[in-house]
Amino acid sequence: QKEVEQNSGPLSVPEGAIASLNCTYSDRGSQSFFWYRQYSGKSPELIMFIYSNGDKEDGRFTAQLNKASQYVSLLIRDSQPSDSATYLCAVNEGGTGANNLFFGTGTRLTVIP
Amino acid sequence: EAGVAQSPRYKIIEKRQSVAFWCNPISGHATLYWYQQILGQGPKLLIQFQNNGVVDDSQLPKDRFSAERLKGVDSTLKIQPAKLEDSAVYLCASSLGILGPFFGQGTRLTVV
């Protein structure tokens, strides 16, 4: 049974701080990793994807991947109240791309003004 | 660029009734997905199409759920008969190449 584990939170950080969201996965064959943001009552919105070990930066967001440890994280710098949402980690079953994504249950982030 | 379109937005039915959802993917996206998201959980893949062929339907409860994607564009997902545990948000998504999937706004189904 493939598993994607996330701390459900809530994770609270003050405005301007760095929010760190973590995700572990069970399938060593996984090669594509995605982070989605989901506001309450809305659908998931793709914010980052990463395929290679190391860091990938996009604006205030940095995704970090360590395949040896089966660990992927998302850092949000200069957190804003508008970042308050549930962040979903998704991992594919194998190969590249979005085939057969397994989602974690999400981490709820609250940014306190 | 228009996003993934879904309808209806909300649906309330009684158990044992049938229901259908419609999805129009982003133009040019060959891959279309139907996900089920139960409250408090992450989305779960039900079925994935590549053009009009099924790539993966291993998690689709085939005794009651069916889906089709005629002509490789629009898709419909049907539930017949519905059970109480089918209450969820049904999300359609599409992707092109390695990027995505991108989700529609979803259909919230309540079975009473």
Side-chain angles (χ1 to χ4, degrees):
Chain A
Q1 176 74 18
K2 298 176 179 60
E3 293 183 353
V4 178
E5 301 279 350
Q6 294 182 257
N7 187 326
S8 62
L11 173 66
S12 296
V13 300
E15 183 175 355
I18 295 175
S20 178
L21 305 161
N22 305 315
C23 173
T24 59
Y25 59 95
S26 63
D27 183 7
R28 285 195 170 274
S30 302
Q31 296 190 30
S32 304
F33 307 86
F34 301 79
W35 283 99
Y36 284 82
R37 177 175 63 198
Q38 187 170 28
Y39 293 113
S40 180
K42 303 295 186 182
S43 61
E45 173 191 7
L46 179 64
I47 54 173
M48 289 285 289
F49 63 93
I50 186 167
Y51 301 133
S52 303
N53 275 328
D55 295 359
K56 179 181 179 182
E57 186 175 317
D58 185 0
R60 294 186 298 112
F61 299 98
T62 299
Q64 299 176 319
L65 175 61
N66 184 326
K67 291 185 180 179
S69 300
Q70 295 176 239
Y71 176 93
V72 57
S73 64
L74 179 70
L75 302 178
I76 306 174
R77 290 182 300 281
D78 189 24
S79 296
Q80 302 296 309
S82 58
D83 295 326
S84 297
T86 295
Y87 288 80
L88 297 164
C89 172
V91 176
N92 84 331
E93 184 176 34
T96 58
N99 292 327
N100 210 352
L101 286 185
F102 282 82
F103 282 81
T105 56
T107 298
R108 187 155 54 95
L109 172 67
T110 300
V111 180
I112 303 167
Chain B
E1 176 181 83
V4 176
Q6 290 188 246
S7 67
R9 289 294 311 278
Y10 306 93
K11 192 74 177 179
I12 300 175
I13 62 172
E14 295 182 350
K15 59 184 178 182
R16 292 187 291 274
Q17 285 188 324
S18 63
V19 64
F21 312 126
W22 173 83
C23 172
N24 182 252
I26 295 172
S27 178
H29 282 198
T31 309
L32 184 147
Y33 315 77
W34 284 101
Y35 283 85
Q36 178 194 58
Q37 187 173 24
I38 294 172
L39 187 64
Q41 299 181 18
K44 183 183 82 170
L45 179 67
L46 294 176
I47 189 167
Q48 177 179 336
F49 293 93
Q50 180 72 21
N51 296 308
N52 60 351
V54 175
V55 173
D56 185 352
D57 63 357
S58 58
Q59 298 187 91
L60 185 73
K62 298 181 184 64
D63 58 333
R64 297 185 300 107
F65 286 65
S66 64
E68 61 182 9
R69 189 184 186 195
L70 300 176
K71 301 180 182 178
V73 182
D74 293 6
S75 177
T76 56
L77 176 69
K78 297 180 181 178
I79 307 174
Q80 181 178 15
K83 293 185 175 181
L84 296 177
E85 60 261 36
D86 298 332
S87 294
V89 176
Y90 290 85
L91 295 162
C92 180
S94 68
S95 67
L96 179 65
I98 63 174
L99 186 59
F102 300 97
F103 287 90
Q105 54 196 352
T107 297
R108 184 177 299 276
L109 173 67
T110 302
V111 182
V112 298

